[in-house]
Amino acid sequence: MKRKLYLLTALIIFSLAGSVANAKDSKPEKALTEQQQQRVEQIEARVLEIKSMDKSNLSRAERKQLRQELVSMNKEAKAVTGGGIYLSVGAIIIIILLLILIL
């Protein structure tokens, strides 16, 4: 009996995982204002500038400052473009299993 229950649960999970993995977000992308678009372009230009730098002759403090600048620009870019919540297929399977066990 347990084996049949586990097989049925696995069958349901695998059938749902395929449909969830192919599902698209129905919300249209939010359009950026002119100022936001300019700021995103400035951030991209600065990131490319930092990537092309020769970091071998920078001091440890300067490299740390560059990393902090990149992290802050990354946070700002995500806030401007409205980054979303992403769930992996594994996380969705775990959530479904927990719901099955609870109910």
Side-chain angles (χ1 to χ4, degrees):
M1 183 66 182
K2 275 189 174 182
R3 185 174 182 191
K4 287 183 181 180
L5 181 64
Y6 287 134
L7 288 174
L8 180 63
T9 305
L11 178 68
I12 291 171
I13 289 172
F14 289 128
S15 64
L16 292 176
S19 63
V20 171
N22 292 330
K24 285 195 171 188
D25 189 14
S26 60
K27 291 191 316 184
E29 289 189 28
K30 141 179 136 171
L32 297 177
T33 64
E34 185 65 31
Q35 290 177 341
Q36 290 174 334
Q37 185 65 32
Q38 287 176 353
R39 182 60 186 150
V40 169
E41 290 172 3
Q42 288 174 350
I43 289 173
E44 289 175 354
R46 179 65 180 146
V47 168
L48 290 175
E49 180 183 335
I50 290 173
K51 283 186 176 184
S52 65
M53 290 174 93
D54 182 23
K55 298 175 199 81
S56 62
N57 47 345
L58 294 177
S59 70
R60 185 175 183 176
E62 290 171 334
R63 286 192 304 262
K64 185 175 181 179
Q65 185 180 9
L66 279 177
R67 277 194 305 271
Q68 289 173 347
E69 182 181 356
L70 285 173
V71 167
S72 67
M73 285 190 299
N74 188 16
K75 287 180 183 177
E76 183 181 348
K78 282 184 180 180
V80 168
T81 59
I85 298 173
Y86 298 100
L87 292 175
S88 67
V89 175
I92 293 171
I93 291 173
I94 291 172
I95 291 170
I96 292 172
L97 279 173
L98 288 173
L99 288 174
I100 290 172
L101 291 174
I102 291 173
L103 300 175

